[in-house]
Amino acid sequence: MGRLKTQTSKLHRHCESCHSRRCKTPIEISVSCAIMSCRLLCGAVFHLCKEEEHMLLCPNDRVPCLNVEYGCPFIMCRSNVAKHLTVCPASVVSCSMEWNRWPIEESETPEFYENILKENYTQEPLDLSMALRDQQHLFHSLKMKTLFPELIEKVAEEPSEGAVGGVPLSNGVDEASASSSAEMEEDELTQEEREELARNPTVVNLESYNIWEKMFSMELSGCKHTIKSIGQNPETSRKEIKPQANPSRLEVLQEELPTKNESLDAATDIPQYNACEMDEDKFLIASSLFACDTRPRKKLVYQHLEPMKIKTVRTFKVPTSFKAKQSRIRNPSHNKKVNSSVDTSDLGVEMDDIPKWDEVQATLLCSLERELRGHLIAESRSTDALLVDIGTQTYDFYLAPFKAETSLAHITADRALKLHVQIQAESITRRHNKSSSAFTYLCNHIFRRDEFHSHYKNVHSDIQSCVSGWFEQRCPLAYLGCTFIQRRFQPSSHRAIVFYDRELSTFCLRPEVSDTLYEGIKPVTVERKRARNTDALSRLPFEVLVHVAGFLDSFTLSQLALVSRLMREVCRTLLHDRGMVSLKWEKKIYSHSGWCWRARKRVWQFSNLFSTVDSWCFDKLPPISEHLKVCPYYQKENKTAPFPLTGVHECHEIKPHRNQSLVSMFVKKE
């Protein structure tokens, strides 16, 4: 069946249902049109009136990428859109790999953690570099204001004067109000708002100003109407209010005498009805008659008005079935409770002799406690319907009170480097139940869609998951304090060194260059102070540099772009093919405390992916037993006195009884 012809359809009556490539229907106005082939040579044949509709599906039509709103600049044929998405620079993937680290629970740092920080390494161990990076990110994320709000400096805030009658908005505004405020800012101000801004420059919240100004204008119009009505009825304005004889005591109000207009009864032409005795039709007619009556009604006059005594009534009663928890408190109905405060002075110790808390240990403890049950040690808590436990325990630090934006990283910035998390990491995903006493870390690096599989395989599967004991091998006596370590694996295709970059928070691969390649190379002496591009590589033609840079991986290109302006221009030519683009969002705050997020610009960059390693091989290293011969923590115990081997006495005892029967054994025991 052909589709129904609508009023906006431009197809002819015959063309709507015709799908034949060899249609020979004669051309008639408003009936049919000529047959044509696609102008882009896709092979389709259709009626002339269907050309515009065909361009929406033509595979040879050039269209922008589906991610054009996210920054992809490519325009291609419609048939290549699906293939392009795998290498699209705007199709980025964020790595969600996560791992956990336990804090060091010992009050004194073990000898091993002290020794690895003092050791001078030619190549820093991968597990130590990762632990220091994770600790740094953890300290930056722990805010003292969140964990210890009672120890934050109180800053006197200056009251901000807003519009007349307005209430200052808080900073926590939802996105709906932010979007509405953004639309308000774009609208032009009215003449009244401009005049008010000119008279009072402190008006900030125009939305609250408009609301209150509308309310005041309504009250003003009501006052004018009252004055006008008093002028028309001078008898009511002449009434004087008599002062009260005894203001300290309530008096009975005198009944007001009805006036002539008020004493008029209701209209006689409108009968009185009882709504309970009428059906629906009669009730509608009666209500309409009363609604149309515009004559004044008889006012209700209070009679015998007397003051009422106010009594406080307690409606809540403790149920007889109530029974306090005997495991935690005693029954309050039998034992009398006495409120008493406990202070450090009751301990009989002076304040200077009380030990101070360590900021790092206390912060890590409270952070882990907050995940499980919150910071309850210094908070009030209702444990029963009648009793409340008031928290009196507080923390005393050397650096307290803290500033509002202080984090744990600011506190430890001037201290000696110390490791507070364990060097071993555990990879437990969110789908499994894990202990709340461990800190969780995320990778959060972004890659192109065609680079993500290589990053996950080489970084997380090959290196990170095997870094403790397999990729890197430590001495078996490391728990005693030995810091010996050796890296066992190398890429099978070429010689390279695996290292960890703390600034970029990622593993990197640095190829080892043979010494023979440096033979005959002389350093370049620069006479001018601001000379540029004096090295031999920079003197090459620009096209050659672009061709050479095309063989580098994404991580090397990101580092090469930081060398010089020339190398930055070279790497810029490869951004569309090797780089990725993402939106940079910023938070815009308006003058009336509203805010919203908006995309400020598009950022082009290279990812941190190194060259793909398909397989790894063992490096030529001596076994760990060679190190144990010279390990200072390996203590030998030489035995000079002879001692029997295990199992010798058992063999002598079993030999004579080998041919005995079960009956003879029981007889012998008796």
Side-chain angles (χ1 to χ4, degrees):
M1 294 178 61
R3 63 177 186 176
L4 297 177
K5 185 175 181 180
T6 60
Q7 296 180 355
T8 58
S9 178
K10 299 181 181 180
L11 303 182
H12 299 102
R13 184 174 55 189
H14 166 75
C15 301
E16 277 190 333
S17 58
C18 180
H19 305 285
S20 176
R21 298 170 59 93
R22 302 181 178 85
C23 180
K24 298 181 180 180
T25 304
I27 301 175
E28 297 182 14
I29 300 176
S30 71
V31 176
S32 63
C33 58
I35 293 290
M36 65 168 295
S37 300
C38 179
R39 301 177 188 272
L40 299 178
L41 305 178
C42 70
V45 179
F46 45 83
H47 282 275
L48 182 61
C49 59
K50 294 182 179 180
E51 182 179 10
E52 182 179 355
E53 186 179 278
H54 170 73
M55 296 306 294
L56 300 175
L57 303 173
C58 182
N60 292 344
D61 187 21
R62 296 184 63 82
V63 294
C65 176
L66 295 178
N67 294 323
V68 63
E69 298 295 335
Y70 298 99
C72 182
F74 289 99
I75 298 176
M76 68 211 76
C77 295
R78 185 176 279 107
S79 58
N80 297 330
V81 171
K83 186 178 179 181
H84 164 75
L85 288 178
T86 57
V87 294
C88 178
S91 181
V92 296
V93 180
S94 178
C95 182
S96 59
M97 180 64 183
E98 63 181 31
W99 59 92
N100 306 314
R101 289 190 186 274
W102 291 76
I104 298 176
E105 301 176 358
E106 291 81 357
S107 58
E108 297 182 0
T109 307
E111 185 180 356
F112 169 70
Y113 289 97
E114 294 180 353
N115 294 343
I116 58 177
L117 294 177
K118 298 177 183 178
E119 188 75 18
N120 295 326
Y121 297 100
T122 55
Q123 298 178 11
E124 192 175 28
L126 301 179
D127 53 358
L128 176 61
S129 301
M130 280 195 64
L132 291 176
R133 174 261 179 192
D134 292 345
Q135 177 177 286
Q136 182 182 5
H137 281 236
L138 176 64
F139 284 4
H140 279 284
S141 62
L142 295 178
K143 302 294 183 181
M144 308 303 290
K145 183 178 180 180
T146 307
L147 299 174
F148 307 104
E150 65 276 3
L151 300 179
I152 301 299
E153 293 182 354
K154 296 181 179 180
V155 181
E157 299 181 357
E158 297 180 359
S160 58
E161 297 181 359
V164 179
V167 180
L169 299 177
S170 60
N171 292 332
V173 184
D174 54 1
E175 295 187 9
S177 62
S179 60
S180 62
S181 60
E183 295 175 358
M184 243 185 60
E185 184 179 341
E186 296 178 357
D187 297 338
E188 296 183 357
L189 301 178
T190 60
Q191 184 63 26
E192 296 179 357
E193 294 173 350
R194 290 172 182 165
E195 294 176 357
E196 182 61 28
L197 286 174
R199 291 193 301 269
N200 188 7
T202 59
V203 175
V204 177
N205 196 343
L206 292 178
E207 183 179 2
S208 300
Y209 170 77
N210 293 334
I211 296 175
W212 288 97
E213 192 66 22
K214 184 178 180 181
M215 295 172 60
F216 294 154
S217 61
M218 293 173 63
E219 293 181 1
L220 181 61
S221 61
C223 294
K224 292 180 179 180
H225 182 73
T226 305
I227 295 173
K228 186 178 179 181
S229 61
I230 292 175
Q232 292 178 357
N233 300 329
E235 296 180 0
T236 57
S237 60
R238 294 175 184 174
K239 292 182 180 179
E240 296 181 359
I241 302 175
K242 297 181 180 179
Q244 190 174 348
N246 190 359
S248 61
R249 189 181 64 180
L250 293 176
E251 296 181 358
V252 180
L253 297 178
Q254 298 296 333
E255 182 180 357
E256 296 181 359
L257 297 176
T259 59
K260 295 181 180 180
N261 296 332
E262 295 174 353
S263 61
L264 294 176
D265 295 333
T268 56
D269 54 345
I270 300 179
Q272 300 293 332
Y273 295 102
N274 188 0
C276 300
E277 299 177 356
M278 292 187 298
D279 55 0
E280 185 178 358
D281 297 336
K282 293 182 180 180
F283 178 76
L284 292 176
I285 295 172
S287 59
S288 60
L289 290 175
F290 279 107
C292 295
D293 186 18
T294 58
R295 284 175 286 186
R297 309 284 182 180
K298 183 179 180 181
K299 292 185 178 180
L300 178 63
V301 179
Y302 292 98
Q303 297 180 357
H304 306 289
L305 183 61
E306 296 181 358
M308 179 184 295
K309 295 182 180 180
I310 300 176
K311 296 182 180 180
T312 303
V313 181
R314 299 183 181 273
T315 59
F316 175 76
K317 295 182 180 180
V318 180
T320 56
S321 60
F322 172 77
K323 193 173 184 180
K325 298 179 180 179
Q326 299 293 340
S327 60
R328 302 173 71 177
I329 58 174
R330 296 183 178 180
N331 196 335
S333 59
H334 294 82
N335 300 328
K336 184 179 180 181
K337 298 295 180 180
V338 179
N339 294 331
S340 61
S341 300
V342 180
D343 194 66
T344 52
S345 59
D346 300 338
L347 301 176
V349 183
E350 296 183 1
M351 293 297 297
D352 298 337
D353 298 336
I354 297 177
K356 299 280 187 179
W357 278 80
D358 181 35
E359 288 86 356
V360 178
Q361 294 292 338
T363 304
L364 296 179
L365 174 64
C366 293
S367 176
L368 294 173
E369 182 189 54
R370 191 180 186 88
E371 294 184 8
L372 182 61
R373 54 179 181 173
H375 184 31
L376 302 179
I377 200 168
E379 294 180 357
S380 300
R381 183 185 178 190
S382 177
T383 58
D384 201 85
L386 300 178
L387 300 179
V388 176
D389 294 340
I390 300 177
T392 57
Q393 175 67 39
T394 56
Y395 292 92
D396 191 11
F397 301 118
Y398 289 101
L399 301 179
F402 306 105
K403 295 183 179 180
E405 300 299 328
T406 303
S407 64
L408 193 57
H410 297 113
I411 298 176
T412 58
D414 300 334
R415 301 183 182 180
L417 183 61
K418 191 176 180 181
L419 197 60
H420 297 275
V421 293
Q422 292 187 4
I423 203 171
Q424 296 86 7
E426 299 179 357
S427 297
I428 304 176
T429 61
R430 295 182 179 180
R431 297 185 178 182
H432 297 81
N433 294 329
K434 55 186 178 183
S435 177
S436 60
S437 299
F439 297 103
T440 304
Y441 305 90
L442 291 173
C443 178
N444 273 344
H445 287 288
I446 57 175
F447 301 91
R448 290 163 55 109
R449 191 169 294 275
D450 57 338
E451 297 176 344
F452 178 72
H453 69 281
S454 178
H455 159 77
Y456 191 87
K457 177 184 179 298
N458 293 144
V459 173
H460 297 303
S461 298
D462 297 342
I463 301 177
Q464 185 176 353
S465 61
C466 306
V467 70
S468 299
W470 183 244
F471 202 89
E472 283 185 339
Q473 188 177 19
R474 288 191 174 272
C475 175
L477 303 178
Y479 68 96
L480 298 177
C482 183
T483 59
F484 175 79
I485 190 173
Q486 60 182 4
R487 201 162 297 171
R488 306 173 64 190
F489 286 94
Q490 288 285 337
S492 58
S493 57
H494 59 281
R495 297 282 302 178
I497 300 174
V498 180
F499 66 98
Y500 188 83
D501 194 335
R502 291 192 205 170
E503 295 182 0
L504 300 177
S505 304
T506 184
F507 291 95
C508 307
L509 201 66
R510 183 190 300 123
E512 293 184 1
V513 182
S514 178
D515 297 337
T516 57
L517 298 177
Y518 291 101
E519 295 179 359
I521 298 178
K522 298 179 180 180
V524 179
T525 57
V526 181
E527 298 179 358
R528 295 180 300 174
K529 295 183 178 180
R530 298 183 179 180
R532 297 179 180 177
N533 306 329
T534 56
D535 57 301
L537 181 62
S538 300
R539 294 176 183 176
L540 295 175
F542 187 81
E543 293 79 6
V544 177
L545 293 176
V546 173
H547 179 72
V548 172
F551 294 97
L552 303 178
D553 53 37
S554 298
F555 173 75
T556 309
L557 287 174
S558 63
Q559 302 302 309
L560 182 62
L562 304 176
V563 173
S564 62
R565 295 182 179 180
L566 175 62
M567 295 303 170
R568 190 173 185 84
E569 292 296 327
V570 171
C571 298
R572 185 179 180 181
T573 59
L574 301 173
L575 272 176
H576 288 179
D577 297 332
R578 303 286 301 279
M580 56 184 179
V581 60
S582 58
L583 299 178
K584 184 177 181 180
W585 295 84
E586 70 173 3
K587 186 177 182 179
K588 180 175 177 58
I589 302 177
Y590 300 97
S591 59
H592 49 73
S593 302
W595 55 268
C596 69
W597 288 95
R598 66 179 183 181
R600 179 183 177 186
K601 60 181 179 179
R602 298 169 181 174
V603 180
W604 285 88
Q605 59 183 342
F606 293 102
S607 64
N608 297 327
L609 180 74
F610 55 82
S611 301
T612 305
V613 180
D614 296 328
S615 60
W616 303 82
C617 63
F618 284 99
D619 199 2
K620 296 179 180 179
L621 296 173
I624 199 68
S625 58
E626 296 295 328
H627 162 72
L628 290 176
K629 296 178 181 179
V630 295
C631 181
Y633 294 89
Y634 183 64
Q635 299 178 0
K636 298 180 181 179
E637 185 179 357
N638 297 323
K639 294 286 186 180
T640 56
F643 58 92
L645 298 176
T646 57
V648 173
H649 296 285
E650 296 178 1
C651 294
H652 287 293
E653 293 177 358
I654 294 174
K655 233 176 188 180
H657 304 289
R658 186 171 293 177
N659 298 327
Q660 293 182 1
S661 62
L662 184 62
V663 178
S664 61
M665 292 178 63
F666 280 105
V667 172
K668 187 177 180 180
K669 287 183 178 181
E670 293 176 357

